[in-house]
């Protein structure tokens, strides 16, 4: 009898580690613990990456985002911002000495180590999506304003009147008055520019229209020319936007002047303008079929000298999504959906067959170092949350630069999506 009891005890001890190691089901509590890693921005010297991490604040019922920086060689990230308010959209100055970012709905700058934070904008309607001019003198941004206001005092007064009014009814005379749960009946999105040292911001796209357009915008749809003398931006020229899938790319002198529509011949969406480093071309994404929102996004090149646009991805039948230009001016790297993933492709700017460079990844926020040696992107999978990754331009050497969720995943011992699928099949 004692011998039997001893054998049973030994068997239970042997089975205990196996039972402990069994993976468990993913819960909502696990989801709340996942850190939201994103928005990698490469320093001009190619040695560091600024990025954001969002953590769930249970008491405040929101995600609080802060800015970090890490060496491209790896190591422990350094947190640059903190506090109860979120900081986001880190953007390096052209000389790499400062980082512009958004906090409290305003643009601030700080030194690259997080010291000496200075407020740049003080616009009542708030600022979003900062973009530096190549000469470092200007920062472009977007803001939601009243189209009939010509200055910030007017916008501030109208906001105060709306807040104080007991009447909350919405009266509209145009069809595009609401999108999902957001009213679009009063204010318009406009592109502004402000001195990087601060001061009054200037509205570059005044008028009763959205720029960038609400539907076609991909986040930041304006860019400076390499000489900082011109800016490209997006707007819809059609009067009834609700029935239109048209958005065009306009260019205008930064000092002011008559805007020029460079994609007027195309009546589908045009978006995401990027100047090549030599300033000869503007690379952008485009849909050719009017009224067809699910049309294929093509990659186009506009020749600034001839005014002619040509398609770079004629032999590519998938959607071109995020685009990054190689420093040598020879290639465009881009992501595209492919069988449930988002690999990184490469195509010559002169046009040719697109090559899949980094397969088997779900990549986003794609960037290339100034040295032209490394790709930097956000990568995720069914088995792991988003982290910052690097890869060689030929697709080799894919390496995780951050590990914000590694300890969480190891401790949680969670099932992957594939393991869940097998479980459901077994039922």
């Amino acid at each position: 009898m004692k011998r039997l009891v001893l054998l049973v005890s030994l068997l239970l001890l042997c089975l205990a580690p196996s039972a402990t190691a069994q993976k468990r089901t993913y819960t909502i509590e696990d989801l709340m613990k996942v850190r939201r890693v994103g928005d990698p921005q490469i320093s001009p010297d190619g040695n560091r990456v600024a990025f954001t991490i969002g953590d769930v604040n249970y008491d405040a019922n929101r995600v609080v985002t802060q800015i970090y920086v890490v060496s491209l060689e790896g190591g422990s990230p350094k947190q640059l911002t903190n506090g109860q308010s979120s900081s986001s959209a880190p953007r390096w100055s052209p000389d790499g000495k400062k980082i512009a970012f958004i906090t409290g709905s305003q643009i601030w700058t700080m030194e690259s180590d997080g010291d000496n934070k200075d407020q740049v904008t003080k616009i009542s309607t708030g600022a979003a999506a900062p973009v530096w001019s190549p000469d470092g003198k200007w920062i472009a941004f977007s803001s939601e304003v009243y189209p009939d206001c010509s200055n910030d005092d007017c916008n501030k007064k109208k906001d105060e009147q709306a807040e104080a009014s007991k009447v909350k009814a919405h009266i509209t005379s145009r069809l595009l008055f609401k999108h999902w749960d957001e009213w679009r009946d009063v204010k318009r999105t406009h592109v502004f520019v402000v001195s990087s040292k601060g001061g009054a911001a200037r509205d570059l796209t005044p008028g009763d229209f959205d720029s960038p357009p609400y539907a076609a915008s991909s986040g930041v749809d304006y860019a400076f020319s390499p000489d900082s003398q011109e800016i490209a931006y997006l707007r819809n020229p059609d009067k009834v936007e609700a029935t239109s899938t048209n958005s065009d790319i306009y260019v205008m002198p930064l000092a002011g002047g008559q805007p020029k529509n460079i994609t007027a011949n195309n009546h589908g969406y045009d978006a995401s303008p990027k100047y090549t480093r030599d300033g000869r071309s503007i690379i952008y994404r485009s849909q050719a079929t009017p009224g067809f929102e699910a049309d294929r996004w093509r990659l186009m090149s506009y020749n600034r000298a001839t005014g002619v646009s040509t398609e770079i991805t004629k032999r590519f039948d998938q959607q071109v999504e995020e685009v990054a230009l190689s420093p040598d001016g020879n290639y465009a790297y881009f992501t595209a959906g492919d069988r449930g993933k988002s690999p990184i492709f490469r195509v010559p700017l002169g046009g040719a067959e697109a090559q899949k460079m980094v397969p088997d990844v779900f990549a986003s926020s794609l960037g290339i170092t100034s040295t032209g040696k490394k790709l930097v992107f956000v990568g995720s999978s069914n088995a792991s949350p988003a982290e910052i990754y690097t890869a060689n331009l030929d697709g080799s050497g894919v390496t995780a630069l951050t590990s914000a969720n590694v300890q969480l995943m190891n401790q949680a011992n969670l099932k992957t999506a594939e393991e869940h699928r097998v479980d459901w099949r077994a039922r």
Side-chain angles (χ1 to χ4, degrees):
M1 183 66 179
K2 291 181 179 179
R3 191 173 184 179
L4 179 61
V5 172
L6 179 62
L7 288 173
V8 171
S9 300
L10 288 172
L11 181 61
L12 289 173
L13 287 172
C14 292
L15 291 176
S18 177
T20 302
Q22 185 176 2
K23 292 186 176 182
R24 63 181 178 82
T25 301
Y26 199 80
T27 66
I28 187 63
E29 286 76 14
D30 294 316
L31 178 63
M32 294 298 101
K33 293 177 183 177
V34 171
R35 310 190 76 190
R36 279 68 169 169
V37 180
D39 200 10
Q41 299 294 320
I42 308 166
S43 63
D45 61 10
N47 294 329
R48 294 169 292 173
V49 177
F51 64 100
T52 59
I53 296 181
D55 293 297
V56 174
N57 184 322
Y58 291 92
D59 295 333
N61 192 30
R62 63 190 179 94
V63 175
V64 178
T65 301
Q66 302 297 349
I67 298 171
Y68 296 73
V69 67
V70 65
S71 169
L72 201 66
E73 300 300 320
S76 299
K78 178 182 179 181
Q79 186 171 342
L80 302 185
T81 62
N82 51 57
Q84 298 300 314
S85 299
S86 288
S87 295
S88 60
R91 297 296 183 268
W92 295 89
S93 63
D95 61 8
K97 294 180 179 179
K98 292 187 176 183
I99 297 175
F101 64 102
I102 299 293
T103 188
S105 298
Q106 300 294 340
I107 298 174
W108 291 63
T109 60
M110 59 182 168
E111 295 181 3
S112 61
D113 60 1
D115 290 342
N116 297 325
K117 296 178 175 65
D118 295 311
Q119 186 171 349
V120 176
T121 62
K122 296 180 180 179
I123 184 170
S124 66
T125 50
V131 174
W132 288 84
S133 63
D135 62 9
K137 295 180 179 180
W138 305 98
I139 298 177
F141 65 92
S142 63
S143 187
E144 301 276 332
V145 298
Y146 294 94
D148 56 342
C149 282
S150 60
N151 55 60
D152 192 46
D153 288 339
C154 174
N155 281 289
K156 184 178 181 180
K157 184 178 180 180
K158 286 203 170 191
D159 275 338
E160 291 172 348
Q161 290 174 343
E163 182 66 25
S165 176
K166 295 181 180 180
V167 178
K168 302 302 180 183
H170 288 259
I171 301 174
T172 183
S173 59
R174 60 191 176 104
L175 185 58
L176 187 60
F177 60 88
K178 194 174 185 181
H179 188 272
W180 296 103
D181 62 347
E182 181 181 2
W183 290 98
R184 304 294 304 172
D185 59 334
V186 178
K187 289 187 174 183
R188 295 287 204 167
T189 303
H190 284 181
V191 179
F192 285 75
V193 68
V194 66
S195 169
S196 58
K197 296 180 180 179
R202 179 163 54 98
D203 190 346
L204 295 179
T205 59
D208 191 14
F209 55 83
D210 285 311
S211 177
Y214 186 75
S217 176
S218 59
V220 180
D221 285 281
Y222 39 90
F224 289 97
S225 61
D227 61 5
S228 301
Q229 299 300 307
E230 182 180 275
I231 190 167
Y233 62 89
L234 211 63
R235 64 158 290 194
N236 188 338
D238 294 350
K239 290 185 178 180
V240 185
E241 308 118 296
T243 60
S244 167
T245 62
N246 187 21
S247 64
D248 287 327
I249 296 172
Y250 288 72
V251 296
M252 66 175 290
L254 188 61
Q258 186 65 30
K260 177 184 178 182
N261 186 343
I262 66 172
T263 60
N265 292 332
N266 182 56
H267 298 289
Y269 284 140
D270 297 303
S272 315
K274 292 178 181 289
Y275 288 83
T276 56
R277 179 169 288 191
D278 60 15
R280 295 179 179 177
S281 303
I282 297 176
I283 308 300
Y284 63 98
R285 299 186 308 131
S286 178
Q287 291 183 334
T289 309
F292 185 31
E293 292 185 357
D295 195 15
R296 178 176 69 93
W297 281 104
R298 309 168 296 161
L299 192 62
M300 309 291 292
S301 177
Y302 170 78
N303 187 308
R304 296 177 71 196
T306 65
V308 176
S309 289
T310 55
E311 183 179 353
I312 300 174
T313 51
K314 288 183 178 180
R315 303 176 187 175
F316 192 75
D317 63 355
Q318 292 154 282
Q319 301 268 23
V320 174
E321 295 170 357
E322 297 180 358
V323 182
L325 306 180
S326 63
D328 61 11
N330 293 328
Y331 295 97
Y333 287 77
F334 62 91
T335 61
D338 183 24
R339 300 179 184 274
K341 297 181 180 179
S342 186
I344 299 172
F345 295 81
R346 183 182 76 177
V347 64
L349 289 183
E353 192 81 25
Q355 296 175 280
K356 186 185 294 185
M357 307 304 294
V358 186
D360 301 324
V361 295
F362 196 97
S364 62
S365 300
L366 181 63
I368 303 177
T369 61
S370 58
T371 59
K373 295 181 179 180
K374 291 283 186 180
L375 298 168
V376 177
F377 58 94
V378 173
S380 62
S381 71
N382 287 334
S384 59
E387 298 285 359
I388 310 298
Y389 284 81
T390 64
N392 298 322
L393 290 194
D394 63 2
S396 65
V398 178
T399 305
L401 190 60
T402 62
S403 55
N405 291 295
V406 169
Q407 185 177 2
L408 169 68
M409 299 303 291
N410 289 341
Q411 289 178 345
N413 204 23
L414 301 172
K415 290 182 179 181
T416 66
E418 176 62 21
E419 289 169 327
H420 276 295
R421 186 177 66 83
V422 172
D423 287 347
W424 279 103
R425 280 185 173 181
R427 295 179 185 182

